[in-house]
């Protein structure tokens, strides 16, 4: 059978790096994983315990398409706790991870051929999902002065029907303050465009809390997930918050595309939301790891970085070291035993000169990885 043209999307390079690292481990090598944006911790114990009980007592069949009412209510409560936003649970849609949320949101808000503005560098699957859905990702090169985040002036003169931002961002970890986020929302709404806010890294912040788009406007689409702060990547549970006028459209799509998010994951997610002590312990690890990275990467010769406001990444300019970040990342893997992600995933235009380092794993792994990077760069006369 033939392949469709819209299905001819680019690979997710970090997954290729993960496979190369897996092959090295299968050959007996010990690899330090700084490539993947995945917590090294399991789902909270309360989540696993709740699911174990449910597996004994419940069939765990289909839920309604919008998700378990108790989970939607608890997500709505979170917005009061974190942002002082009074959110109607009816506006919450539980999704099969944030990826399922993207598919539902893009399907509900845009028609084929619509143009959606994205900042580069940015999460690569945005543009690949859009391409597969016959949407046009309009990638805008962001500036260092704006901490590699979109600004209203970047949108001037563009034709677009949507704007999508992430704060904290992947791969940079930078955040938008409330005035900056409000200005972007105003710019999009002034054009009659939909505004989508990816808030998957909310909760993983260091010096100041992240701002939700819902603090500024109800006429936005917020995407979030249990993958990062709640440490549930493989469980595939996420959520959307939508204006009331868009809910029935998304519900019909969810019924047909997914039926529902996994029932088992929804049960676990509900319990995870009250596992505050364990989640804060995870944050203490990220704080230690961030401090190690911000000290250790410059010592290893990776000194062109901006301190991340949130998430668990450091994005480094290595254009003075290489013109081929993919080949450079492979050298680091082969010679140092550290898996890192080439920036081509996040920015096709400038990514050949950047690398992303994740510090989501254990502190011992981060310390070992930094020492290996230092030795690798020292051998080239590029580190202390």
């Amino acid at each position: 059978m033939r392949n469709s043209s819209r299905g001819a999307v680019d690979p997710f390079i970090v997954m290729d790096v993960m496979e190369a690292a897996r092959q090295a481990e299968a050959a007996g090598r010990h690899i330090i994983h700084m490539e993947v944006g995945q917590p090294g911790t399991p789902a909270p114990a309360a989540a696993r315990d709740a699911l174990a009980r449910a597996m004994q007592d419940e069939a765990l069949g289909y839920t309604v398409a919008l998700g378990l009412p108790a989970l939607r209510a608890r997500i709505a409560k979170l917005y009061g706790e974190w942002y002082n936003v009074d959110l109607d649970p009816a506006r919450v849609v539980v999704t099969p991870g944030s990826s399922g949320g993207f598919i539902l949101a893009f399907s509900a808000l845009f028609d084929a051929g619509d143009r959606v503005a994205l900042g580069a560098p940015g999460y690569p699957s945005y543009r690949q999902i859009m391409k597969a859905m016959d949407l046009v990702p309009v990638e805008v090169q962001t500036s260092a002065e704006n901490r590699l985040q979109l600004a209203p002036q970047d949108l001037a003169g563009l034709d677009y029907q949507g704007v999508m931002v992430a704060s904290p961002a992947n791969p940079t970890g930078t955040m938008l303050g409330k005035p900056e986020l409000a200005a972007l929302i105003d710019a999009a709404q002034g054009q009659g465009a939909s505004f989508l806010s990816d808030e998957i890294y909310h909760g993983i912040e260091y010096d100041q809390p992240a701002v939700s788009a819902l603090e500024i406007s109800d006429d936005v689409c917020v995407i979030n997930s249990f993958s990062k702060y709640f440490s549930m990547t493989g469980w595939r549970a996420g959520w959307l918050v939508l204006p009331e006028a868009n809910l029935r459209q998304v519900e019909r799509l969810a019924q047909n595309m997914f039926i529902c998010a996994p029932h088992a994951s929804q049960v676990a997610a509900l319990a995870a939301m009250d596992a505050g002590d364990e989640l804060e312990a995870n944050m203490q690890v990220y704080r230690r790891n961030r401090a190690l990275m911000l000290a250790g990467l410059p010592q290893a010769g990776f000194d062109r970085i901006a301190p991340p406001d949130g998430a668990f990444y450091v994005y480094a300019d290595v254009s003075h070291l290489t013109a081929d970040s993919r080949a450079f990342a492979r050298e680091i893997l082969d010679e140092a035993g550290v898996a890192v992600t080439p920036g081509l995933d996040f920015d096709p235009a400038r990514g050949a000169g950047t690398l992303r380092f994740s510090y989501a794993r254990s502190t011992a792994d981060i310390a070992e990885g930094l020492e290996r990077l230092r030795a690798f760069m020292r051998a080239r006369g590029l580190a202390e």
Side-chain angles (χ1 to χ4, degrees):
M1 294 182 286
R2 70 179 187 89
N3 287 320
S4 72
S5 58
R6 60 184 175 79
V9 299
D10 297 331
F12 195 176
I13 295 172
V14 68
M15 305 306 290
D16 292 342
V17 175
M18 284 179 64
E19 174 58 19
R22 184 201 65 78
Q23 291 176 7
E25 288 172 325
R29 297 189 64 198
H30 176 227
I31 302 300
I32 301 294
H33 291 274
M34 291 186 174
E35 83 281 26
V36 65
Q38 173 168 267
T41 49
R48 289 175 277 136
D49 291 345
L51 179 58
R53 292 191 299 271
M55 289 174 67
Q56 294 296 322
D57 301 335
E58 300 179 35
L60 298 179
Y62 297 137
T63 72
V64 294
L66 295 180
L68 291 172
L71 179 55
R72 296 169 69 202
R74 183 63 186 88
I75 291 169
K77 182 182 176 185
L78 181 77
Y79 283 86
E81 296 169 345
W82 284 12
Y83 314 106
N84 197 30
V85 168
D86 184 10
L87 179 63
D88 183 353
R91 293 176 55 198
V92 177
V93 179
V94 181
T95 64
S98 63
S99 299
F102 298 145
I103 292 169
L104 286 170
F106 297 165
S107 299
L109 300 175
F110 303 116
D111 290 314
D114 279 356
R115 298 164 58 85
V116 183
L118 309 165
Y123 180 55
S125 293
Y126 298 151
R127 66 176 182 270
Q128 306 304 349
I129 294 171
M130 288 177 188
K131 289 177 182 177
M133 299 178 71
D134 280 339
L135 304 177
V136 181
V138 181
E139 293 189 271
V140 179
Q141 293 296 307
T142 57
S143 66
E145 303 86 75
N146 292 322
R147 296 176 57 75
L148 299 179
Q149 288 278 3
L150 271 180
Q153 58 266 30
D154 297 328
L155 301 174
L158 292 181
D159 173 26
Y160 59 89
Q161 287 71 51
V163 176
M164 185 157 192
V165 302
S167 173
N170 178 10
T172 63
T174 62
M175 297 196 310
L176 290 159
K178 193 168 188 177
E180 292 77 20
L181 184 57
L184 279 168
I185 292 173
D186 286 346
Q189 292 178 344
Q191 290 285 105
S194 298
F195 189 89
L196 297 88
S197 180
D198 181 354
E199 302 182 358
I200 190 173
Y201 292 100
H202 279 220
I204 307 177
E205 308 124 358
Y206 302 102
D207 298 323
Q208 59 187 4
V211 179
S212 174
L214 292 168
E215 296 179 60
I216 298 163
S217 173
D218 283 331
D219 193 25
V220 294
C221 173
V222 165
I223 303 107
N224 209 322
S225 171
F226 290 91
S227 289
K228 309 300 183 179
Y229 176 73
F230 294 100
S231 195
M232 294 180 63
T233 51
W235 296 75
R236 310 318 300 142
W239 72 87
L240 297 174
V241 181
L242 295 154
E244 185 177 348
N246 300 108
L247 280 168
R248 181 56 179 160
Q249 176 107 324
V250 168
E251 182 178 26
R252 292 194 302 261
L253 287 163
Q255 290 168 342
N256 287 283
M257 286 181 167
F258 302 112
I259 300 180
C260 63
H263 190 160
S265 298
Q266 294 187 60
V267 169
L270 177 59
M273 298 191 77
D274 291 313
D277 290 346
E278 190 170 345
L279 298 172
E280 178 53 31
N282 293 347
M283 280 302 303
Q284 292 298 337
V285 173
Y286 299 148
R287 292 186 183 101
R288 290 194 295 270
N289 291 356
R290 177 178 181 261
L292 284 174
M293 294 288 275
L294 293 180
L297 283 175
Q299 292 172 3
F302 301 101
D303 55 1
R304 299 184 181 183
I305 58 178
D309 302 315
F312 32 57
Y313 307 116
V314 176
Y315 199 56
D317 179 355
V318 294
S319 58
H320 58 302
L321 304 174
T322 183
D324 186 346
S325 61
R326 192 166 192 169
F328 192 40
R330 185 69 203 215
E331 284 180 49
I332 294 172
L333 176 62
D334 290 344
E335 299 180 31
V338 180
V340 302
T341 304
L344 289 167
D345 246 349
F346 313 104
D347 188 344
R350 297 178 293 184
T354 57
L355 292 175
R356 188 193 73 176
F357 301 86
S358 171
Y359 53 89
R361 296 301 181 103
S362 72
T363 300
D365 273 2
I366 298 306
E368 171 68 17
L370 287 167
E371 184 52 45
R372 292 187 189 189
L373 289 170
R374 193 154 44 241
F376 171 85
M377 294 289 277
R378 193 183 297 127
R380 288 157 175 73
L382 299 170
E384 300 175 7

